Amino acid sequence: MSEPGPLSASIIGSFAYLTVKDRLPVIVTRVIDQLYRERINIVDKYGEAATEGCKEVIGRLSQLKNAIQTNKPLELLEATDPLSPCDDSHVWNRHFEEYISTYEVPPKWFTAPWMYVECFMYAHIHESFYLCPALKDFDPFCEQKQKALLESLSATETLAQHVLSVCSSLPSLTQEQLRQHVINLIEISVWGNKCDLSISSGEERSPETDLLVSLDSLRPYILVNHSSPLWQLLVSLPEDQRDIVLVLDNAGFELVTDLCLMMLLTEAGLTTSLTFHVKTRPWFVSDTTHADLFWTLDTLREKGGACSEIGNKWKKYIEDGQWKVCESSFWTTPIPYSQMSTVDPNLYSQLSKASLIIFKGDLNYRKLTGDLDWPTTTNFEQALRGFCVAPLLVLRTLKGGPVVGMAERQAEDLATTVRDWNTSGEYGVIQLCTFS
């Protein structure tokens, strides 16, 4: 079977088309509006030079918004700081030149691959700030991410109480009881992925106060559910080979659900070493950066109750070295993971030592499968196109693209109810690949 082509905004009405036509300009507009609205506070924090800086950034972003809406060609990025790990302009510019070499025309917003143009927008936003020395560390999405957590504190407290209760009862649990608790938190982590600000163009999506009571009713909406083989993998790992890597997605409540799952795996001894991978820059509105992760821990520690208790536990895991936090600029490129071993062999080598890699969210799934227009019945391992670095697990809700690995009858049934997979997270996926 030949590989399908990449998803793009060239098909009117597709999710990619609606993303480029509607969502991306709205996201840029929100950043511009924030700079206008908060310019006095920004100047107070970043100094007088930020006054002109705001004007410069607004000018660049206004041009970016116009380019998207009028389908202008993408442009080369300027080198911000060749010595900085955040400067990957050479990667983007090489990608730009390769596109022209292949297609003999410059890439445009509605015709180039969707992954390329969507990632390019966030790279361009980052560049717009980084070229202004006073604002190079400004996160235009920080306010939205922090608000997303603060507005979900009730749900966070409820979940924290539950996880603490489960962890305190671990010595008396049977293996079947532990299995069910782990699977419940895996499912909560899946549904936490609905809180994606890049899909809602920055509009907050508050979670239910208690997801636990909804799990039974939500379970039929998990299209691919490999919970059972996942559990078998976790309990079969040798005690000295329980190294789990979690490639994070969104900050806010989703991050809380991820950390709660990891806490149970840690306390139950199902992982003895855990590494989180975060983004090096603001990305896709709500993706977790190093600063977001530690702000979350510090915020929860100050809230009292169960929030404070889990926040302190998580901070101690990191201080003791049980939990590690890593970042790589590879995660903020449009490059599919099938090319990782060539493009970033050091990252590939690090991941190859893991017993299990967990990828959260839609964007990771799209990069795993190359963001190609695969039939839904395509074998998952085939769609990975050779990315067999270690056993991997995907936890996501469907928002930006289809799912592979579905049974033919299941795919036919869903085709009548799901149009273009623009479901805003109503369906979930727990998908495992062990390459066995």
Side-chain angles (χ1 to χ4, degrees):
M1 173 184 173
S2 60
E3 287 187 358
L7 296 169
S8 76
S10 59
I11 300 176
I12 295 176
S14 67
F15 190 70
Y17 173 83
L18 296 174
T19 294
V20 177
K21 176 179 174 292
D22 299 326
R23 284 174 44 236
L24 299 191
V26 169
I27 289 169
V28 177
T29 299
R30 284 182 178 275
V31 176
I32 293 172
D33 289 348
Q34 180 189 10
L35 292 175
Y36 274 120
R37 186 182 66 251
E38 299 293 333
R39 61 188 181 278
I40 294 176
N41 292 333
I42 292 172
V43 171
D44 287 344
K45 181 174 181 179
Y46 292 92
E48 194 59 40
T51 301
E52 287 302 314
C54 284
K55 294 178 183 178
E56 293 175 13
V57 174
I58 288 171
R60 295 189 189 104
L61 295 182
S62 297
Q63 291 177 354
L64 172 63
K65 178 182 173 181
N66 177 262
I68 297 171
Q69 293 177 316
T70 57
N71 195 29
K72 286 184 170 59
L74 277 64
E75 300 176 345
L76 294 171
L77 294 180
E78 296 183 43
T80 53
D81 180 1
L83 298 179
S84 169
C86 294
D87 184 4
D88 56 2
S89 56
H90 62 288
V91 174
W92 289 94
N93 293 341
R94 184 173 65 245
H95 204 81
F96 181 90
E97 299 294 350
E98 289 173 351
Y99 185 95
I100 293 178
S101 175
T102 301
Y103 298 100
E104 299 183 342
V105 293
K108 290 187 175 183
W109 291 92
F110 283 85
T111 53
W114 176 27
M115 177 65 68
Y116 178 22
V117 300
E118 189 169 16
C119 289
F120 179 84
M121 186 197 77
Y122 289 99
H124 198 299
I125 291 174
H126 172 76
E127 177 197 58
S128 297
F129 283 95
Y130 210 86
L131 288 174
C132 174
L135 296 176
K136 69 176 186 177
D137 296 322
F138 183 79
D139 182 349
F141 309 122
C142 179
E143 179 182 352
Q144 298 171 65
K145 289 182 283 189
Q146 293 185 357
K147 186 178 180 183
L149 177 67
L150 296 175
E151 291 188 347
S152 65
L153 285 176
S154 177
T156 298
E157 177 69 16
T158 300
L159 182 58
Q161 290 174 358
H162 170 75
V163 174
L164 288 169
S165 175
V166 172
C167 288
S168 67
S169 65
L170 280 173
S172 62
L173 294 181
T174 64
Q175 187 174 75
E176 174 57 27
Q177 289 171 327
L178 176 60
R179 184 190 75 86
Q180 192 56 58
H181 283 304
V182 169
I183 290 176
N184 284 348
L185 284 177
I186 288 170
E187 292 179 3
I188 287 174
S189 177
V190 168
W191 299 118
N193 184 239
K194 291 182 71 172
C195 305
D196 187 336
L197 296 176
S198 73
I199 299 299
S200 60
S201 302
E203 291 284 353
E204 285 77 20
R205 287 180 170 178
S206 298
E208 296 181 35
T209 301
D210 188 356
L211 266 173
L212 280 162
V213 302
S214 305
L215 291 183
D216 288 341
S217 61
L218 289 170
R219 199 163 291 124
Y221 295 93
I222 300 177
L223 300 181
V224 178
N225 192 342
H226 293 163
S227 295
S228 293
L230 170 61
W231 172 254
Q232 291 303 318
L233 173 66
L234 289 172
V235 296
S236 67
L237 293 174
E239 290 189 10
D240 61 344
Q241 297 178 28
R242 296 181 178 177
D243 303 317
I244 293 180
V245 169
L246 174 55
V247 183
L248 291 167
D249 191 16
N250 300 303
F253 184 69
E254 179 179 355
L255 176 59
V256 170
T257 66
D258 296 337
L259 296 178
C260 283
L261 170 60
M262 295 303 107
M263 177 178 171
L264 178 55
L265 296 183
T266 299
E267 292 292 321
L270 293 171
T271 176
T272 52
S273 174
L274 181 62
T275 303
F276 296 98
H277 280 261
V278 298
K279 303 299 191 297
T280 57
R281 65 178 60 165
W283 194 248
F284 276 64
V285 184
S286 51
D287 278 26
T288 305
T289 64
H290 189 278
D292 295 328
L293 175 58
F294 283 88
W295 178 86
T296 298
L297 300 187
D298 292 339
T299 299
L300 293 180
R301 293 171 69 206
E302 296 171 355
K303 292 300 175 183
C307 285
S308 179
E309 190 169 346
I310 60 170
N312 285 322
K313 279 184 173 292
W314 298 343
K315 191 72 175 285
K316 191 171 190 307
Y317 292 149
I318 294 174
E319 291 172 347
D320 292 347
Q322 274 187 285
W323 288 7
K324 303 176 184 66
V325 183
C326 294
E327 54 186 8
S328 167
S329 60
F330 180 85
W331 305 121
T332 51
T333 70
I335 300 170
Y337 296 165
S338 60
Q339 298 179 22
M340 183 190 295
S341 60
T342 301
V343 175
D344 195 336
N346 288 334
L347 177 61
Y348 188 90
S349 177
Q350 291 175 32
L351 297 180
S352 69
K353 299 177 175 65
S355 307
L356 175 68
I357 308 170
I358 303 174
F359 290 95
K360 280 301 304 284
D362 222 40
L363 182 60
N364 276 320
Y365 194 89
R366 289 169 58 191
K367 290 185 176 182
L368 281 166
T369 58
D371 212 32
L372 305 181
D373 193 14
W374 295 105
T376 55
T377 54
T378 304
N379 179 274
F380 185 34
E381 185 172 344
Q382 177 187 349
L384 293 172
R385 301 186 300 163
F387 184 68
C388 50
V389 60
L392 61 88
L393 171 71
V394 175
L395 304 178
R396 69 181 280 233
T397 54
L398 272 68
K399 299 180 288 286
V403 61
V404 298
M406 290 176 58
E408 187 169 343
R409 179 59 184 273
Q410 183 187 26
E412 291 174 354
D413 291 344
L414 282 166
T416 62
T417 58
V418 180
R419 293 181 58 82
D420 192 43
W421 301 97
N422 183 2
T423 68
S424 299
E426 282 86 0
Y427 293 92
V429 169
I430 301 172
Q431 198 159 22
L432 178 70
C433 189
T434 59
F435 308 103
S436 57

